[in-house]
Amino acid sequence: MIQRMTRQRSAVAELLADVDDFRSAQQLHELLRGRGNEIGLATVYRTLQTLADAGEVDVLRAEDGEALYRRCSRREHHHHLVCRRCGTAEEIDGPGVEAWAEAVGAAHGFSDIVHTMELSGICASCAAEAGDA
Amino acid sequence: MIQRMTRQRSAVAELLADVDDFRSAQQLHELLRGRGNEIGLATVYRTLQTLADAGEVDVLRAEDGEALYRRCSRREHHHHLVCRRCGTAEEIDGPGVEAWAEAVGAAHGFSDIVHTMELSGICASCAAEAGDA
DNA sequence: CCCTTAATGAGAATGATCCTCATGTTCAGA
DNA sequence: TCTGAACATGAGGATCATTCTCATTAAGGG
């Protein structure tokens, strides 16, 4: 858990408040630098890890396995609809997925069921751009 | 696409037919070596990639981002219930997930919707082992 | 203001995956 | 069956994300 508030951690928190796309640690580091925040890459990784452990940020994996982070408005469990082009994301509800997951798991003798479900697509504005290009 | 059948590719295919857990490329490489198959790691990666592109094997990501492969009996779209301990997997159906995904995507102005949904848990035999230990 | 101790950062270490390119092998055609 | 062009292999290096090391810095309670 976070024990001390530092300049770097504040900067990460502020950035996450402003950006609502899923971004990689490296991208976030770039953005911080761009804003004039001196911060080491390792610190960005550490901070994101801590925030993720605390459930403050959501993590998902790009197709190539890279971790993407985002601060979500809801703390409760939810799913995402992410734009593959720009990373923008909407929070969505999975209708009864949780109950279904439990039931299916139990039916197969599995316990401690965890589920992941993510949707991705091309958002309206990216689709428009692609059309122009 | 695969154009020539080689000793190495046959070996990978045979191994995949025998193993029905999700395994990493490195693990599969180890297993092949264990079976007495001389094969380079790069070839294992290449072969798995090709098979994945052809839809012959399913790929999913471990929590740490590592790619895991498995040859599934069904070619059609389906989901998995994977044991986090041993990697064994069951193929399952997502009741209406596809239709729901399309609808949600459209509602948010997203096109070209793709969805991923995976369940993981601890399988009965792993739970039993853990109980003994 | 001053310690104690957590936090930082630069760079090395790790680990998965991909690339290079010289060499080996497959297989269609002769 | 023999051959050669083109595809495949493999050893090791290159990449790239992420983590670790450890000396240095700086919160913040007392």
Side-chain angles (χ1 to χ4, degrees), chain B residues 1-44:
Chain B
M1 91 215 79
I2 288 186
Q3 310 200 15
R4 290 179 188 175
M5 189 51 54
T6 65
R7 173 174 59 73
Q8 292 88 339
R9 285 174 178 167
S10 307
V12 171
E14 278 180 34
L15 178 61
L16 288 171
D18 291 352
V19 175
D20 62 21
D21 307 342
F22 273 93
R23 287 286 155 78
S24 70
Q26 314 250 4
Q27 287 178 317
L28 293 171
H29 180 235
E30 277 301 305
L31 290 171
L32 285 165
R33 282 290 174 84
R35 287 178 162 212
N37 290 298
E38 288 294 316
I39 183 171
L41 181 55
T43 300
V44 174

Side-chain angles (χ1 to χ4, degrees), chain A residues 4-5 25-26 41-42 45-46 49 61 65-67:
Chain A
R4 292 179 188 177
M5 188 50 53
Q26 313 251 2
L41 181 57
Y45 272 105
R46 268 186 302 236
Q49 181 102 58
R61 298 266 165 193
E66 190 177 11

Side-chain angles (χ1 to χ4, degrees), chain B residues 34-65:
Chain B
R35 287 178 162 212
N37 290 298
E38 288 294 316
I39 183 171
L41 181 55
T43 300
V44 174
Y45 273 104
R46 266 186 302 237
T47 304
L48 289 171
Q49 182 103 60
T50 305
L51 290 172
D53 288 348
E56 303 269 330
V57 299
D58 283 13
V59 190
L60 57 83
R61 297 268 165 190
E63 283 187 38
D64 66 353

Side-chain angles (χ1 to χ4, degrees), chain A residues 17-32:
Chain A
D18 291 352
V19 176
D20 62 20
D21 306 341
F22 272 94
R23 288 286 155 78
S24 71
Q26 313 251 2
Q27 287 178 318
L28 293 170
H29 180 235
E30 277 301 306
L31 290 170
L32 286 165

